[in-house]
Amino acid sequence: MRNTLFLLVFISTFSQAQNIYPQDYFRSPLDIELILSGTFAELRSNHFHSGLDLKTKQREGLNIYATASGYISRIRVSHYGYGKAIYITHPNGYVTVHGHLQRFSDRVEAYVKQRQYEKESYEIELFPDLNDLVVTKGDIIAYSGNTGGSGGPHLHFEIRDNQERPINPLLFGLKIKDSKKPTVSSIYAYPINDLSHVNGSNLKQKLRLIPLKNGDYKTEDLTAHGKIGFAINSIDRQDLAANKNGVYKIETLYNGMKNFTIDFRKFSFGETKHLNRLIDYKHYKDKKERLQKLFRDTNNPLSMYDNVVDDGYLIIYDTLSNIYKVKITDFDGNETTININIKGVDKQPNDVAARFISPYYITSDEVNTLENQKIKVNFPKQTFYDDFFIDYKVNGDTLTLHKNNLAVKKSFTITYDVSNYAPEDLKQVYIARLIGYKNYPSYSSTIREENKLITRTKNLGKFCLARDIVAPVITPVSFKDGQWLSKYRFLKIKIEDKESGISNYRASINDEWILMEYDYKKKTLTYDFNDKVVTDTKNNLKVIVTDNVGNSTTFEASFFRK
């Protein structure tokens, strides 16, 4: 009995030592069972997911609660990103973030709208004082929505430390039902240099996964020699949702010894862009599959690694047999393993990866400038992770700048010298990136400096000069000119621009600015009559919408309201 009690105390103490985060401090931000549509540090486009995406029953308007007492220290309203978001600073130093909100609680909504009207801007960022918006644990602070860059109704929820680093909220005691093991859809082996091979080839090899009855996997036995590495595509699912979510930890063992671990517990926003070094970026751009490399390339600053031996690479020697094991774990400890038997065979590789060579070579730790005819490209130091030959061509106004399948760390500059154009020919001209099979021109943010057009971008690929002479289109929704709107709560307008895109808009009633919320997904502007700007019976509405090259459209209508 005494030994059993000692063991229980030891296990409890050990468990607490492993988790340094408070377990009962934060409550759930929702009053429904928590179901995930996105996990912490999940692999997203150019970044790690910085929180949990919590399902809201495919609805908007659910109560969002303060998870602990504190004060609202930041409020942001934007068309994109988190949309409407609230940040709460708590006495223990942590900050909770709530994004994609439909609207704020009445007290917060009044605080925000007053300042939106003062600035005459829907988009706004506020930093309330310590005593302005104090909240108590359990207070309703907002209602769930789908604003910003959300792909459907849900709550984005984060917990950050006092250095603004996001931490997995599940470490603080939030519970998600999960009895399912992670799954693996593919695994690849990489010969790392010209002398190494896998199954006789110097090319990256996809290995055949063999599912086992217990949910684990093995691969076909393989032969190899020299320096090699592996990469996998793995996901996790929870009990109550079919979403393909990210995993919590990946470990590898080589002949029984740990040689690589990546642990998705926390990260900093400064390193999130380096997700593109974790994955096989070229494979992702070409195949739309994110392979997580189980080795650490040079110039990889991610802090998530542990137990790394030889950067996770394996050195395979002739005639020796080796066992390589990959363990993939979700937050609840459900574990999936892959076993790989490797036989060392020293032989000349049958095929060697082709190397692209051009007159233009990029040295990653230097400034690189490319100039041909009237187009100049300037890459700052450390724009790329590696040195490489770049495909650079100019044909008239069309610039070919490699394939868009190399990871880019920093924005670089493309400058067009347009001094040979007549001023009238440059009206509504912009720099476009050509995308898709049909090379559709997509607006790249363009500024004009004297006789130059300049864009900053992180995209390689094809660029050209394009012209947009089509003004935005404005269409009333559910009302007509001269209509009575006494029973309406909202006034809606649809705005569209199919070429360079919407830059800004301004709306007024009886020459007084009104707050109209822009939903770029639905292409609508919405005014809430509860703002009480409208006090007259007859009212004149005016909406001006401008696109990114200056084309402008004005819509005017009158309506009546009691």
Side-chain angles (χ1 to χ4, degrees):
M1 180 68 180
R2 181 178 300 173
N3 290 338
T4 302
L5 181 60
F6 173 81
L7 181 61
L8 290 173
V9 171
F10 174 79
I11 292 173
S12 175
T13 303
F14 180 78
S15 176
Q16 291 174 13
Q18 295 300 299
N19 190 349
I20 62 174
Y21 305 105
Q23 297 301 290
D24 300 314
Y25 191 86
F26 296 106
R27 58 152 287 170
S28 170
L30 294 164
D31 55 10
I32 58 174
E33 184 169 18
L34 297 184
I35 302 174
L36 299 183
S37 59
T39 50
F40 181 80
E42 199 168 82
L43 309 183
R44 299 287 178 90
S45 180
N46 301 315
H47 69 284
F48 296 102
H49 187 229
S50 56
L52 301 178
D53 283 344
L54 303 173
K55 288 177 176 282
T56 56
K57 298 184 175 180
Q58 300 181 349
R59 292 162 34 198
E60 298 184 40
L62 274 62
N63 294 343
I64 305 299
Y65 298 94
T67 58
S69 297
Y71 75 100
I72 296 176
S73 54
R74 182 183 177 193
I75 303 169
R76 188 168 186 181
V77 179
S78 58
H79 298 142
Y80 309 103
Y82 292 171
K84 296 180 180 180
I86 284 180
Y87 300 68
I88 299 177
T89 296
H90 304 281
N92 63 356
Y94 292 104
V95 175
T96 51
V97 183
H98 318 73
H100 307 307
L101 306 172
Q102 179 194 60
R103 60 188 176 90
F104 306 118
S105 65
D106 290 346
R107 177 173 61 126
V108 180
E109 189 83 4
Y111 179 93
V112 173
K113 279 199 173 184
Q114 177 184 338
R115 286 148 184 85
Q116 287 174 313
Y117 272 96
E118 289 172 356
K119 289 190 64 176
E120 295 191 355
S121 174
Y122 170 73
E123 291 195 299
I124 197 167
E125 186 170 20
L126 303 170
F127 297 91
D129 291 335
L130 180 64
N131 297 315
D132 285 348
L133 295 171
V134 175
V135 296
T136 300
K137 185 175 184 177
D139 284 352
I140 295 175
I141 58 169
Y143 302 90
S144 67
N146 187 30
T147 56
S150 170
H154 73 277
L155 172 67
H156 175 86
F157 178 69
E158 295 179 21
I159 299 180
R160 301 180 184 179
D161 66 15
N162 57 11
Q163 297 181 53
E164 283 291 297
R165 294 175 300 191
I167 303 168
N168 191 334
L170 297 181
L171 290 166
F172 293 82
L174 296 182
K175 300 298 182 183
I176 304 294
K177 288 184 178 179
D178 185 2
S179 61
K180 297 182 179 181
K181 299 173 63 167
T183 59
V184 181
S185 59
S186 60
I187 181 167
Y188 285 77
Y190 291 67
I192 300 303
N193 54 46
D194 290 346
L195 298 178
S196 57
H197 70 81
V198 174
N199 290 335
S201 174
N202 187 241
L203 305 178
K204 179 176 71 176
Q205 298 290 304
K206 184 174 184 178
L207 306 180
R208 184 168 67 92
L209 273 173
I210 303 170
L212 303 177
K213 289 183 179 180
N214 64 354
D216 293 334
Y217 303 86
K218 68 177 183 178
T219 71
E220 57 197 338
D221 293 349
L222 58 90
T223 62
H225 189 264
K227 189 176 183 179
I228 68 172
F230 291 86
I232 63 170
N233 181 18
S234 62
I235 62 156
D236 186 43
R237 285 189 170 98
Q238 287 77 44
D239 290 359
L240 302 177
N243 301 75
K244 297 179 179 180
N245 295 329
V247 302
Y248 181 67
K249 184 165 65 174
I250 304 174
E251 301 173 273
T252 69
L253 295 95
Y254 182 42
N255 293 328
M257 303 294 291
K258 291 183 178 182
N259 84 318
F260 179 91
T261 301
I262 183 163
D263 192 333
F264 298 105
R265 295 170 65 90
K266 66 179 180 180
F267 60 88
S268 70
F269 286 109
E271 64 181 316
T272 189
K273 63 184 177 183
H274 297 297
L275 170 142
N276 291 332
R277 197 57 167 171
L278 166 69
I279 67 171
D280 183 336
Y281 188 77
K282 183 179 185 302
H283 185 95
Y284 167 65
K285 297 298 287 188
D286 293 343
K287 305 290 186 181
K288 306 304 178 188
E289 179 186 36
R290 290 188 177 97
L291 295 177
Q292 300 175 74
K293 291 182 286 190
L294 306 182
F295 52 89
R296 183 168 58 192
D297 281 323
T298 56
N299 299 319
N300 182 343
L302 289 172
S303 64
M304 301 171 171
Y305 298 110
D306 194 11
N307 300 317
V308 176
V309 177
D310 295 330
D311 288 323
Y313 296 110
L314 312 184
I315 307 298
I316 308 298
Y317 296 99
D318 187 37
T319 72
L320 296 182
S321 295
N322 307 274
I323 299 174
Y324 184 68
K325 176 179 284 190
V326 183
K327 295 167 60 176
I328 306 106
T329 312
D330 64 22
F331 185 83
D332 279 280
N334 302 300
E335 182 182 282
T336 298
T337 64
I338 311 170
N339 285 292
I340 306 169
N341 294 321
I342 308 169
K343 177 68 179 296
V345 176
D346 186 4
K347 61 179 291 186
Q348 191 70 22
N350 296 330
D351 44 21
V352 178
R355 299 288 188 264
F356 175 80
I357 298 177
S358 80
Y360 307 99
Y361 190 74
I362 299 298
T363 305
S364 61
D365 61 356
E366 295 180 2
V367 174
N368 295 268
T369 301
L370 305 174
E371 192 165 8
N372 189 324
Q373 299 178 30
K374 297 288 186 178
I375 304 175
K376 180 179 180 181
V377 183
N378 183 265
F379 298 110
K381 289 182 180 181
Q382 303 300 327
T383 298
F384 302 100
Y385 290 100
D386 299 306
D387 302 345
F388 67 102
F389 287 99
I390 191 169
D391 184 12
Y392 172 72
K393 299 186 186 75
V394 175
N395 183 9
D397 287 336
T398 301
L399 165 67
T400 298
L401 199 58
H402 215 78
K403 284 187 176 181
N404 191 29
N405 60 7
L406 289 180
V408 179
K409 289 192 284 184
K410 295 181 179 179
S411 295
F412 58 90
T413 303
I414 300 173
T415 302
Y416 277 75
D417 183 341
V418 291
S419 56
N420 59 327
Y421 288 83
E424 60 271 17
D425 293 334
L426 285 175
K427 291 180 179 179
Q428 301 132 330
V429 172
Y430 62 94
I431 299 175
R433 186 165 67 95
L434 300 177
I435 60 175
Y437 176 74
K438 296 184 178 179
N439 284 329
Y440 179 82
S442 176
Y443 177 78
S444 184
S445 184
T446 304
I447 60 173
R448 190 185 304 270
E449 290 183 1
E450 297 180 345
N451 293 321
K452 296 177 181 178
L453 294 180
I454 304 169
T455 188
R456 286 176 56 79
T457 181
K458 284 187 175 181
N459 291 296
L460 298 172
K462 287 188 175 182
F463 296 82
C464 73
L465 295 182
R467 190 176 187 184
D468 176 7
I469 59 173
V470 180
V473 176
I474 306 175
T475 309
V477 178
S478 301
F479 78 95
K480 297 179 180 179
D481 186 27
Q483 185 175 346
W484 280 88
L485 303 179
S486 299
K487 296 182 179 180
Y488 281 49
R489 165 74 186 273
F490 299 104
L491 182 70
K492 291 191 176 183
I493 299 281
K494 185 174 183 178
I495 63 174
E496 293 183 271
D497 190 87
K498 295 183 178 180
E499 295 198 29
S500 61
I502 302 295
S503 172
N504 58 73
Y505 63 91
R506 181 180 175 83
S508 62
I509 293 177
N510 302 331
D511 295 324
E512 186 173 352
W513 184 86
I514 59 170
L515 176 67
M516 296 201 84
E517 180 173 338
Y518 178 40
D519 184 337
Y520 76 93
K521 298 188 288 286
K522 296 180 180 179
K523 302 177 182 179
T524 56
L525 294 175
T526 302
Y527 166 69
D528 187 347
F529 280 113
N530 282 356
D531 288 357
K532 298 181 180 179
V533 174
V534 176
T535 57
D536 298 336
T537 301
K538 182 179 180 180
N539 300 276
N540 297 311
L541 171 68
K542 184 176 183 179
V543 179
I544 303 171
V545 179
T546 306
D547 67 18
N548 279 301
V549 297
N551 298 308
S552 184
T553 299
T554 301
F555 171 84
E556 295 186 87
S558 61
F559 64 88
F560 298 86
R561 184 176 173 87
K562 287 185 179 179

